[in-house]
Amino acid sequence: MKELKISAIKEGAVIDHLSPENAFKVVEILNLKERDNPVMVGINFSSEKIGKKGIIKIGNSFPTKEEIDKIALIAPEANLNIIKDYSVISKEKVKIPDVLEIIMKCANPKCITNVENYKTKFYVLEKVPLKMRCHYCERIMESSDIELV
Amino acid sequence: MKFKGKDIISIRDFERDDILYILDVAKRIEQSPDQDLLKGKVMASLFFEPSTRTRLSFESAMSLLGGKTVGFAEPGVSSLKKGETLWDTIKMVDRYADVIVMRHPVEGAARIASEAAHIPVINGGDGSNQHPTQTLLDLYTILKTKGTLDNLNVGILGDLKYGRTVHSLCIALSHFNTKFNFIAPEALAMPKDYLNDLGEKGLSYREESDLMKVSNELDILYVTRIQKERFPDPMEYKKYAGFYRIDKKILNHVKKDMKIMHPLPRVDEIHPELDSTDHALYFEQAANGIPVRQALLSLVLGRIE
């Protein structure tokens, strides 16, 4: 399907090198269906690196730090390209930061952040496989525990 | 580390030298207490969960150094009953006192409180998470009886899954090249995260359900209660209640100077017949809560640098 072209965007972001299933997850976590700006989602494009890949183009909008952190958690394989005036001005692999704030719930139901609904904070102890410690209850979480907010 | 204004929330926040410094201050205070050291200071004692030793020893520690205490001993009398958030309760108390000592049933509550308060917060236990002052008094007790914290062979027995005391103790002792023996039924074993941390630090540990298999090697046997209140399922609790009952029979299988510790309260895991032996250290351990808490209060209130 290499011949299928998706039109270029003037300004915005391209999330590339996603696994096809993660493309839909990213649509979900960035709430792209509910937005007004144009979004294109493609899957099953051939990729030398990962066989089949997904790609998302978001026009007229740049992801926030929190959104980039969410992408890194759900789809650590993704590349993020920032487009301005039809040119790629930055292109980099998303990175899981050392500290994750606000973007996800603590998996421990007895954590104060769940009991009284406070903002969360996690320290990333290991990136592969992902291991995080809650700043509040100090419980360790893994990627299977992630529930984004 | 600068202690003035510092929160005491988790034993993870302290390095080996910080721990040794606190214990040294405790020793100095115990040897020559100054009755006016905390004169003019007010401690807010907020116990959202019942406690005997921690609350009384903090209040006593404050009083013996000339300070005063305000607060409550159970949540029923606080505005929590009216639905006030912890954040708001702390924001209010922050204006009434110089230091907060708090116990709360919810994990992470002490950290949230420390973020809400300008004054220092000392965690007196937050759910099954942390109880750093218990750990410091445990270390003080070991140091006093053994003369060192380094290279000891320590057995930790009982509920290692839910017990916050043993989790904090495990983290603290990992600074001192301890040889750990975790003695528990499989269902109440030490959580993997703690074992992994020990492994990463290059420390050796052994897991065993039968105390007799390791008892003759131990310098310290730290016994804990199977805590009914931490079990999600009462049937599960019944299965393990009374799993360990340590009595005089063990004395034929231990070193002469092996000491038995327990954070108390005990139920039936240590027979009272051991109380009068040289091995029993648990009442002295409880008494050590006073100098250690006096040291912490004096340090965070800036009365000792």
Side-chain angles (χ1 to χ4, degrees):
Chain A
M1 298 234 343
K2 222 171 184 173
E3 65 280 8
L4 180 65
K5 296 282 183 202
I6 297 181
S7 57
I9 53 174
K10 188 182 176 199
E11 289 218 326
V14 177
I15 305 162
D16 199 359
H17 290 290
L18 291 160
S19 69
E21 59 271 29
N22 280 348
F24 292 110
K25 285 188 194 163
V26 171
V27 169
E28 185 88 26
I29 59 172
L30 298 188
N31 206 18
L32 295 179
K33 280 192 270 186
E34 308 303 321
R35 294 210 201 166
D36 292 332
N37 46 320
V39 173
M40 287 175 279
V41 181
I43 57 163
N44 298 339
F45 285 70
S46 59
S47 155
E48 280 175 22
K49 270 191 197 162
I50 56 172
K52 284 180 185 177
K53 69 171 185 176
I55 184 167
I56 300 171
K57 293 190 174 190
I58 307 166
N60 309 329
S61 171
F62 304 100
T64 62
K65 181 187 179 304
E66 283 167 20
E67 287 172 334
I68 297 170
D69 288 350
K70 284 183 180 179
I71 298 167
L73 278 181
I74 295 299
E77 73 280 7
N79 268 349
L80 176 67
N81 306 282
I82 299 297
I83 314 288
K84 281 192 179 162
D85 206 13
Y86 296 107
S87 302
V88 177
I89 61 155
S90 80
K91 177 175 185 165
E92 54 189 35
K93 199 167 181 307
V94 291
K95 278 190 204 122
I96 297 172
D98 295 335
V99 180
L100 289 161
E101 293 191 78
I102 310 168
I103 63 169
M104 62 180 191
K105 285 181 69 162
C106 180
N108 173 11
K110 290 182 182 166
C111 178
I112 188 79
T113 57
N114 290 318
V115 175
E116 288 201 4
N117 202 17
Y118 292 105
K119 289 174 182 171
T120 60
K121 182 173 176 178
F122 300 89
Y123 301 105
V124 176
L125 306 177
E126 281 169 28
K127 294 188 179 174
V128 186
L130 188 60
K131 203 171 131 184
M132 302 161 282
R133 172 175 288 129
C134 173
H135 170 63
Y136 295 100
C137 73
E138 304 189 13
R139 287 290 179 91
I140 300 283
M141 288 175 57
E142 298 170 357
S143 31
S144 57
D145 299 315
I146 293 173
E147 188 186 335
L148 296 172
V149 291
Chain B
M1 178 181 286
K2 263 192 93 70
F3 280 97
K4 186 179 178 181
K6 186 168 171 57
D7 303 303
I8 311 288
I9 304 300
S10 167
I11 203 73
R12 285 185 213 279
D13 302 340
F14 299 92
E15 298 295 332
R16 176 189 162 97
D17 286 351
D18 305 322
I19 292 171
L20 289 173
Y21 183 66
I22 295 166
L23 303 188
D24 185 55
V25 171
K27 184 179 162 194
R28 279 190 271 152
I29 290 182
E30 188 175 17
Q31 284 169 350
S32 52
D34 171 358
Q35 292 173 1
D36 291 330
L37 190 63
L38 299 182
K39 199 173 175 186
K41 295 291 185 187
V42 175
M43 177 182 87
S45 167
L46 313 183
F47 280 75
F48 297 90
E49 190 180 60
S51 149
T52 311
R53 268 151 303 280
T54 306
R55 186 172 62 83
L56 291 183
S57 71
F58 259 114
E59 294 182 6
S60 177
M62 194 68 187
S63 167
L64 288 166
L65 296 181
K68 293 218 163 22
T69 299
V70 295
F72 52 85
E74 49 181 299
V77 298
S78 83
S79 49
L80 265 201
K81 259 207 152 167
K82 299 172 196 159
E84 187 178 47
T85 62
L86 175 63
W87 185 273
D88 285 359
T89 305
I90 298 297
K91 279 281 175 206
M92 177 263 303
V93 174
D94 197 30
R95 317 279 170 122
Y96 295 166
D98 301 295
V99 59
I100 292 171
V101 171
M102 183 178 113
R103 169 167 291 187
H104 199 285
V106 178
E107 293 159 32
R111 187 75 71 185
I112 284 282
S114 75
E115 291 174 1
H118 294 95
I119 60 175
V121 173
I122 302 179
N123 184 6
D126 59 333
S128 56
N129 182 30
Q130 282 276 326
H131 192 2
T133 67
Q134 175 70 46
T135 304
L136 290 165
L137 79 86
D138 291 342
L139 296 182
Y140 186 63
T141 305
I142 297 172
L143 183 61
K144 264 173 85 175
T145 188
K146 293 291 174 192
T148 180
L149 290 172
D150 290 308
N151 309 315
L152 296 171
N153 205 321
V154 178
I156 304 180
L157 174 142
D159 174 6
L160 310 187
K161 183 180 179 185
Y162 297 108
R164 64 183 167 202
T165 307
V166 296
H167 298 161
S168 295
L169 184 63
C170 179
I171 295 167
L173 281 173
S174 69
H175 293 294
F176 299 96
N177 198 33
T178 300
K179 291 186 192 77
F180 290 95
N181 299 269
F182 298 116
I183 307 142
E186 210 181 318
L188 297 178
M190 196 63 149
K192 285 273 176 290
D193 296 333
Y194 292 95
L195 300 179
N196 290 344
D197 284 351
L198 295 180
E200 279 168 22
K201 286 187 171 180
L203 295 168
S204 65
Y205 64 85
R206 188 168 161 182
E207 290 185 279
E208 195 50 79
S209 66
D210 182 0
L211 170 61
M212 288 303 179
K213 287 192 178 161
V214 295
S215 59
N216 62 351
E217 297 167 21
L218 304 178
D219 298 307
I220 297 284
L221 172 61
Y222 194 100
V223 181
T224 62
R225 178 171 60 98
I226 310 283
Q227 301 175 95
K228 192 176 182 180
E229 64 274 24
R230 304 270 174 239
F231 276 79
D233 177 359
M235 291 302 285
E236 174 109 344
Y237 167 73
K238 273 194 178 164
K239 240 197 285 181
Y240 298 106
F243 199 89
Y244 294 106
R245 289 200 166 113
I246 296 163
D247 53 27
K248 274 196 167 166
K249 277 182 272 174
I250 195 185
L251 300 184
N252 299 322
H253 306 276
V254 297
K255 288 185 189 173
K256 266 192 177 150
D257 59 351
M258 188 279 284
K259 300 290 183 190
I260 303 172
M261 295 172 65
H262 192 301
L264 304 176
R266 65 176 156 183
V267 183
D268 52 9
E269 56 276 6
I270 300 177
H271 196 286
E273 68 187 10
L274 286 171
D275 294 0
S276 56
T277 69
D278 289 342
H279 299 281
L281 200 58
Y282 26 93
F283 293 117
E284 193 184 329
Q285 181 186 355
N288 286 333
I290 299 280
V292 168
R293 289 174 174 129
Q294 285 176 322
L296 288 168
L297 289 165
S298 307
L299 284 164
V300 302
L301 287 168
R303 291 288 168 95
I304 290 180
E305 286 287 315

